[in-house]
Amino acid sequence: MKNLAIITNTHSKNGDLWIAHVQQIKKYLDQPHYFFTDKEPEEDLGVRVVTYSKEDKFRTQFMKCLESVGEEFCLYLNEDYLLYESPDIEKLREYVNLLRKNDCLSFIRLAKGIDHFNIPYSPTLQYLDCRNPYFFSQTASLWRTNHLRAVHEQGPDLHIAGHNMDQQFETAATDTCRALGIQGLYHHDGEPKRGFHHYDSKVFPYIASALVKGDWCSEYKDELKVLLELYGIDESTRRWSK
């Protein structure tokens, strides 16, 4: 896929997932892969490592790291988004080309979340209404890179999480998206709901997310156990979420 980068936002505290995350992607995708992290990996992962300062808040960390990405489009991921089946490469290519041809579109989210309005765009895509309180979301999404950069440049300087929802960049950036006129779509092709907050994805079948407050996510226990064994990750280092 021409001019498409993969971006993984991560932290060394979750470094035990790095091999699984990277290798599962390498099985299916051959795109430049940028790793935004607080420290260099101890082993060569075959990715382009971009380090950020622990002294900065998340918004500034991510914004500075994005300066290293020259590709027009990017696939945004976190390190605990683990592919467990083959993605639909042709459909991904179709979605990237859709962004390429439609300058008004900023992103395509690769799975349905909660509280989405049903406004069809195509047989497998729906409009994501900007009235949605989670319009901006750090879920697996294809982005026009300069639009993702603008959200972080114009957004408040907050951490990725906070004690209050209004102190989380993910929440506050929705207002920034509205102000910038950001438009987005989301993929849904009849996939079943997984847990309380999201649906599975045929186009990018990934664990979302492998970690819940530091515990293994029980919603994906079957898929996750296979990957933990495959990559020799010690399951006992974390509990399973309740």
Side-chain angles (χ1 to χ4, degrees), residues 58-69:
F58 163 75
R59 168 262 185 182
T60 299
Q61 293 170 348
F62 196 86
M63 182 177 64
K64 289 181 178 179
C65 289
L66 268 179
E67 295 174 0
S68 299
V69 180

Side-chain angles (χ1 to χ4, degrees), residues 9-60:
N9 183 62
T10 186
H11 191 279
S12 57
K13 68 181 180 182
N14 298 327
D16 57 335
L17 290 177
W18 287 352
I19 286 290
H21 174 84
V22 171
Q23 291 303 316
Q24 285 299 107
I25 290 172
K26 283 183 178 293
K27 284 182 181 180
Y28 310 109
L29 296 169
D30 184 24
Q31 309 295 137
H33 191 166
Y34 296 83
F35 231 54
F36 296 176
T37 179
D38 61 308
K39 59 186 290 188
E40 290 274 350
E42 294 181 358
E43 57 185 305
D44 183 10
L45 298 174
V47 296
R48 304 181 186 186
V49 177
V50 185
T51 56
Y52 55 75
S53 171
K54 293 181 179 179
E55 304 304 315
D56 291 332
K57 293 184 179 179
F58 163 75
R59 168 262 185 182
T60 299

Side-chain angles (χ1 to χ4, degrees), residues 56-62 138 152 155-162 164-173 176:
D56 291 332
K57 293 184 179 179
F58 163 75
R59 168 262 185 182
T60 299
Q61 293 170 348
F62 196 86
Q138 288 155 326
H152 287 77
D157 197 20
L158 298 171
H159 276 300
I160 198 168
N164 300 317
M165 291 293 288
D166 61 356
Q167 292 301 304
Q168 297 181 14
F169 183 84
E170 186 173 25
T171 302
T176 305

Side-chain angles (χ1 to χ4, degrees), residues 135-180:
F135 180 80
F136 180 83
S137 177
Q138 288 155 326
T139 54
S141 304
L142 295 166
W143 270 92
R144 190 179 299 278
T145 307
N146 63 341
H147 288 198
L148 183 60
R149 183 178 293 113
V151 173
H152 287 77
E153 289 175 345
Q154 301 298 319
D157 197 20
L158 298 171
H159 276 300
I160 198 168
H163 294 297
N164 300 317
M165 291 293 288
D166 61 356
Q167 292 301 304
Q168 297 181 14
F169 183 84
E170 186 173 25
T171 302
T174 288
D175 289 336
T176 305
C177 288
R178 294 189 188 112
L180 290 171

Side-chain angles (χ1 to χ4, degrees), residues 219-234:
E219 291 177 2
Y220 294 93
K221 196 167 189 176
D222 291 344
E223 294 89 348
L224 192 46
K225 274 183 168 289
V226 171
L227 293 175
L228 294 179
E229 182 177 354
L230 178 63
Y231 292 100
I233 300 170
D234 186 359

Side-chain angles (χ1 to χ4, degrees), residues 21-141:
H21 174 84
V22 171
Q23 291 303 316
Q24 285 299 107
I25 290 172
K26 283 183 178 293
K27 284 182 181 180
Y28 310 109
L29 296 169
D30 184 24
Q31 309 295 137
H33 191 166
Y34 296 83
F35 231 54
F36 296 176
T37 179
D38 61 308
K39 59 186 290 188
E40 290 274 350
E42 294 181 358
E43 57 185 305
D44 183 10
L45 298 174
V47 296
R48 304 181 186 186
V49 177
V50 185
T51 56
Y52 55 75
S53 171
K54 293 181 179 179
E55 304 304 315
D56 291 332
K57 293 184 179 179
F58 163 75
R59 168 262 185 182
T60 299
Q61 293 170 348
F62 196 86
M63 182 177 64
K64 289 181 178 179
C65 289
L66 268 179
E67 295 174 0
S68 299
V69 180
E71 286 77 9
E72 185 178 2
F73 306 100
C74 61
L75 169 57
Y76 173 89
L77 303 170
N78 290 327
E79 83 285 302
D80 64 339
Y81 296 173
L82 307 179
L83 275 172
Y84 58 85
E85 289 179 359
S86 172
D88 187 335
I89 303 299
E90 288 307 310
K91 183 64 73 173
L92 286 173
R93 183 175 288 113
E94 174 189 325
Y95 288 174
V96 172
N97 287 334
L98 179 60
L99 287 173
R100 182 174 285 115
K101 294 174 183 177
N102 191 335
D103 292 339
C104 293
L105 277 179
S106 299
F107 68 88
I108 299 175
R109 197 178 297 179
L110 297 180
K112 181 178 180 179
I114 58 173
D115 300 329
H116 287 358
F117 303 99
N118 294 315
I119 311 173
Y121 177 88
S122 75
T124 60
L125 291 172
Q126 305 262 340
Y127 285 102
L128 188 60
D129 196 298
C130 66
R131 293 171 294 177
N132 189 300
Y134 301 102
F135 180 80
F136 180 83
S137 177
Q138 288 155 326
T139 54
S141 304

